[in-house]
Amino acid sequence: MSSECLGSDGASTGYDRWRRDRWEEMAGPEGKAGLIAHRPITEPGQQLPEVPGRWTSTGFSGSLTLTAARAENVSVDGHAVDGTVELTGASRLSFPGGRRGTVEELRGAHALAVWDEAAPTLVGLRGIEAWPWDPAWAVEAEYRPADAGRLLEVTRVTSPGVRESFPAPGDFAFGLRGERHTLRAFGVGGDTLLIVFTDGTSGMDTPGMGRWLILPRPQDGTGTARIDFNRAVVPHHMFSAAFPCPLPPRENHLPARVEAGERAPVFAEEAAVGSATGPAV
């Protein structure tokens, strides 16, 4: 284990810090558990049930506009809307009742994400169950770049489910518990790679839709990388059903039980959830 993750007393201090940051990401004031809607904008003058206004997209290479009257109490970047305004990925929207919105520009389409600090999933989130840190679950892997432009078709968890092609720039090959494995990685923007995988715990101790490993792309495009299953996380969809998360490709199944990383979110009984105390660190 790197020195970053070990304190002088041998405790996994880096891992503890990562767990606290992860808790803040999910349960903090702007936590992901507060997402209540993720709405693609596909029609001119489209109206959404969660927020006021009329929304029009002309496609990824075009514009996204919002039309609202001043009485609807919508603001963009702190300015009240009274008419039509053009939005960008940097726009920050405010709506009545403390709700807020962010704009996404993703693979040929615009979408609006709506957040609510009073969402039951955010208010009711009590913790994220995880196995104890174990350095044996951190392994060295070989990164193997794929052919330029490789895409993998996967299903997103939406209603109804949709198939979508994701860029898959490379694979990670490694040994685990005496067996060799290869996991395919998606490109999710910048130099970040996402591995969506299942293992022997999936559907029992961990979500049936798998877990995630979020890794930096090797800077030289090849070589070795460190995969730490202690930092496997449950998908955002388990904190809010509004997240249209991808399901793992068939190739990304590990037959062994990976008893490392997150297991499930834990909610108060009254929270309306699709899945499961301050963080156990």
Side-chain angles (χ1 to χ4, degrees):
M1 200 68 177
S2 69
S3 58
E4 179 212 3
C5 293
L6 291 175
S8 59
D9 60 355
S12 52
T13 55
Y15 174 70
D16 292 348
R17 185 166 55 250
W18 174 80
R19 290 275 283 144
R20 288 191 292 270
D21 290 344
R22 170 73 174 160
W23 174 252
E24 185 68 16
E25 179 188 5
M26 294 298 116
E30 298 188 355
K32 288 183 169 59
L35 184 73
I36 61 169
H38 185 275
R39 301 289 186 184
I41 308 301
T42 58
E43 304 171 3
Q46 185 172 339
Q47 293 182 284
L48 307 178
E50 294 82 11
V51 294
R54 274 74 60 205
W55 310 79
T56 298
S57 172
T58 58
F60 180 70
S61 59
S63 64
L64 175 67
T65 60
L66 161 66
T67 301
R70 180 176 292 273
E72 292 179 284
N73 294 319
V74 178
S75 66
V76 176
D77 299 326
H79 301 287
V81 176
D82 188 13
T84 298
V85 295
E86 186 170 338
L87 307 174
T88 70
S91 299
R92 294 297 177 263
L93 298 93
S94 298
F95 305 103
R99 292 184 175 182
R100 59 187 179 87
T102 56
V103 173
E104 295 184 10
E105 301 170 350
L106 187 64
R107 280 183 277 280
H110 290 100
L112 178 71
V114 182
W115 309 81
D116 188 345
E117 62 184 15
T121 44
L122 180 59
V123 174
L125 185 60
R126 295 291 178 263
I128 307 173
E129 291 183 348
W131 276 281
W133 174 79
D134 182 348
W137 288 105
V139 298
E140 296 297 324
E142 177 190 358
Y143 180 67
R144 300 172 178 172
D147 293 337
R150 184 180 74 171
L151 299 173
L152 286 181
E153 190 175 74
V154 298
T155 299
R156 279 189 179 271
V157 184
T158 57
S159 182
V162 296
R163 299 284 288 175
E164 187 173 339
S165 293
F166 277 70
D171 304 330
F172 290 90
F174 56 92
L176 185 68
R177 296 296 193 261
E179 300 286 340
R180 295 293 297 176
H181 302 284
T182 300
L183 293 175
R184 294 187 170 183
F186 298 126
V188 290
D191 292 325
T192 301
L193 298 176
L194 171 67
I195 296 174
V196 185
F197 73 98
T198 54
D199 66 273
T201 70
S202 301
M204 295 181 289
D205 299 301
T206 61
M209 66 180 296
R211 290 183 288 166
W212 293 357
L213 291 164
I214 301 169
L215 305 170
R217 188 194 302 249
Q219 290 187 353
D220 60 0
T222 59
T224 60
R226 192 166 185 81
I227 293 181
D228 187 355
F229 285 96
N230 291 291
R231 301 194 183 202
V233 299
V234 295
H236 297 160
H237 184 82
M238 302 303 293
F239 296 89
S240 167
F243 280 105
C245 295
L247 295 174
R250 181 178 53 193
E251 301 90 340
N252 278 14
H253 177 69
L254 302 174
R257 286 179 57 85
V258 178
E259 296 183 350
E262 293 182 351
R263 299 175 62 178
V266 180
F267 293 95
E269 288 185 6
E270 64 271 19
V273 300
S275 52
T277 43
V281 297

